Amino acid sequence: MNNVTRRGFLGLAGVAGAAGLSACAGTGTSATSDQGGDGTTLELWSNHPGNSKPVEQELIAAFQKANPGITVKLVDAGKNYEEVAQKFNGALVGGTLPDLVVVSDVTWFNFALNKQLTPLDELLTTAKIDTADYVDALYGDYLFDGGHFALPYSRSTPLFYYNKEIWSKAGLEDRGPKDWDEFKEWSEALKAAAGNGKFAMELPDGSNYLDWHFQNMAWGYGGGYSQEWTPTFSAEGTVKAGQYLQDLAKGGVVKFNATPEADFSAGLAGCILQSTGSLGGITKDAKFEVGTAFLPGEGNCPTGGAGLGIPANISDARKANAVKLAEFLTNAESTVTFTQATGYMPVRKSAVELQSEKDYLAKNPNAKTAIDQLPQTRSQDNVRVLLPGGGARIGKGLDQVAQGQDVATVFAGLDQESQQVFDNQIKSKL
């Protein structure tokens, strides 16, 4: 998908989005906020992550059966997380707000910072919902200023997907690389095994979440995007990772593509990095045996995906039923149903103890890879997920690196730009 479609909201945020969010914070009138009545008719705004609309409809039907006094309308709110955020932002200015909205790893924070999402802790306590069963790392990703602003829903990590036929032809063991240095050692054999016009690896370009995956490389070489709020693009390890990425591109090892999973499934690349949420589609479309592995390195896998948030400026009655819906969509049984249909990760600890999940994982070991990798994950660096426009800004810089621009110069510019955004738009609100 193009830059406007996938990352348009983030690009706008880098220029004026945070100011717009701040300006519309708390401006909804009581008439606007209470459109939707007493909470017996709820709207869920979703982009249907992982082509999940059918399973979302299935879960909503089950919720309505269990709660006969409540009707839920599933709203197509955009093609991706950023479009949902853009629609929600528009409603905050002057429109009908949803009762529940999908908020991603890079969109929830600005809404929370500007008091446009409801802290859920009191609602959860009143509804007697035990949050201890949520996977700690996933629930903790939505913690800010002493409250949690979403429940984990379509949560993912990147996975290392590989074509077992090409792997075998290259004479490699049936596993992923231990680290990126080992992958470089493998790269020439993989290029030869893939064949003319094909690549050892494909990666998404900067408009399609290369910035999410590249964190793994940066962390693996001892760098990263930031320490807390201090940008660290110019750190030695981050620059080394950027040079590594550029060398892969110069050497014809990697191709950057808006939809690498499509080429991979067609047999045009030996491996890709892609979300766990792509597992279902890749498994269905690939005409070869697909392998999955942890990302290279230990403890260097970023979390990702989205949660469910409740707008701040709606009535208490709407909030009370919205939190019931959020909990139902993310309970153990529902998360098993959702994740088996999409490839996302179960968000409840108890989910993996359900017999239906045990049976599924036994038959689908690739799905188990993401669950096994979860202890190796870490929360993402602030300047990507918490700064307005962070992901789009980093993605643009990584595109420049891939195209051959000087790594140190590009990364120094990212340091400067990130610091300016923090100083101008975030610092005074913390």
Side-chain angles (χ1 to χ4, degrees):
M1 302 176 74
N2 62 35
N3 187 45
V4 173
T5 304
R6 280 301 280 267
R7 303 301 286 269
F9 173 78
L10 294 183
L12 291 171
V15 179
L21 290 173
S22 179
C24 65
T27 59
T29 66
S30 58
T32 300
S33 67
D34 282 339
Q35 290 178 17
D38 60 3
T40 58
T41 300
L42 304 178
E43 282 196 4
L44 165 61
W45 286 11
S46 177
N47 62 304
H48 320 304
N51 298 312
S52 60
K53 186 173 183 178
V55 72
E56 286 181 327
Q57 291 171 327
E58 176 186 342
L59 294 174
I60 287 171
F63 173 80
Q64 291 178 149
K65 185 176 181 180
N67 299 270
I70 304 175
T71 300
V72 180
K73 180 182 178 182
L74 179 62
V75 175
D76 297 329
K79 297 177 182 178
N80 52 61
Y81 297 137
E82 288 76 35
E83 288 190 3
V84 176
Q86 193 171 22
K87 181 178 175 68
F88 182 50
N89 191 42
L92 289 165
V93 176
T96 302
L97 291 169
D99 300 273
L100 202 61
V101 60
V102 172
V103 287
S104 83
D105 56 348
V106 296
T107 64
W108 75 270
F109 179 73
N110 271 309
F111 294 123
L113 183 68
N114 289 289
K115 303 185 186 304
Q116 294 156 337
L117 288 178
T118 300
L120 301 181
D121 304 73
E122 185 175 342
L123 286 171
L124 293 165
T125 299
T126 300
K128 298 182 180 179
I129 296 169
D130 181 12
T131 60
D133 190 40
Y134 286 104
V135 175
D136 295 331
L138 304 182
Y139 183 55
D141 276 346
Y142 305 108
L143 179 63
F144 169 65
D145 199 26
H148 294 83
F149 287 82
L151 291 180
Y153 176 53
S154 54
R155 293 307 307 270
S156 61
T157 63
L159 283 181
F160 187 95
Y161 294 84
Y162 62 100
N163 181 324
K164 290 195 175 188
E165 291 180 8
I166 292 178
W167 240 242
S168 178
K169 190 175 179 180
L172 300 177
E173 297 179 34
D174 186 8
R175 63 174 178 84
K178 297 175 183 176
D179 53 32
W180 285 107
D181 287 340
E182 184 173 51
F183 178 78
K184 191 170 186 178
E185 294 171 7
W186 293 356
S187 61
E188 291 303 317
L190 283 172
K191 280 174 60 179
N196 291 334
K198 302 178 183 179
F199 291 84
M201 170 179 277
E202 287 200 19
L203 292 173
D205 59 30
S207 296
N208 293 282
Y209 305 116
L210 176 58
D211 49 289
W212 183 38
H213 301 301
F214 182 73
Q215 282 177 111
N216 166 253
M217 286 187 186
W219 291 339
Y221 284 110
Y225 297 156
S226 62
Q227 290 289 336
E228 296 296 332
W229 291 103
T230 302
T232 57
F233 293 97
S234 294
E236 180 180 356
T238 319
V239 173
K240 184 176 181 180
Q243 191 62 57
Y244 177 91
L245 184 71
Q246 188 175 86
D247 290 345
L248 291 181
K250 287 181 177 179
V253 174
V254 63
K255 175 185 176 182
F256 298 91
N257 184 0
T259 56
E261 64 272 23
D263 275 6
F264 175 73
S265 297
L268 302 179
C271 59
I272 58 171
L273 302 186
Q274 194 53 270
S275 167
T276 59
S278 298
L279 180 59
I282 289 173
T283 301
K284 178 183 177 181
D285 295 340
K287 306 305 180 185
F288 51 85
E289 187 176 1
V290 176
T292 58
F294 292 4
L295 294 195
E298 291 188 12
N300 296 325
C301 179
T303 56
L308 296 171
I310 297 174
N313 197 31
I314 62 175
S315 70
D316 289 343
R318 291 176 66 184
K319 290 179 182 179
N321 280 339
V323 82
K324 287 182 183 179
L325 175 60
E327 190 277 335
F328 187 91
L329 293 174
T330 61
N331 68 26
E333 292 77 11
S334 294
T335 195
V336 164
T337 299
F338 183 83
T339 58
Q340 289 183 9
T342 60
Y344 286 99
M345 294 188 299
V347 300
R348 294 278 196 157
K349 299 172 187 174
S350 61
V352 295
E353 301 302 323
L354 298 180
Q355 191 59 49
S356 59
E357 182 71 350
K358 290 181 179 180
D359 293 343
Y360 176 79
L361 294 176
K363 295 178 182 178
N364 298 275
N366 280 342
K368 191 171 182 292
T369 304
I371 297 173
D372 292 341
Q373 185 179 233
L374 193 56
Q376 298 281 342
T377 60
R378 58 191 281 189
S379 295
Q380 298 184 60
D381 291 338
N382 284 9
V383 301
R384 178 183 186 262
V385 291
L386 303 186
L387 281 191
R393 189 164 42 251
I394 298 166
K396 180 180 178 181
L398 292 175
D399 277 345
Q400 293 170 338
V401 165
Q403 292 160 7
Q405 295 189 33
D406 181 70
V407 176
T409 301
V410 171
F411 281 7
L414 284 174
D415 271 339
Q416 183 178 5
E417 292 171 17
S418 300
Q419 188 64 52
Q420 287 175 346
V421 172
F422 173 73
D423 289 342
N424 294 337
Q425 301 182 23
I426 299 293
K427 187 175 181 180
S428 64
K429 298 179 182 179
L430 293 177

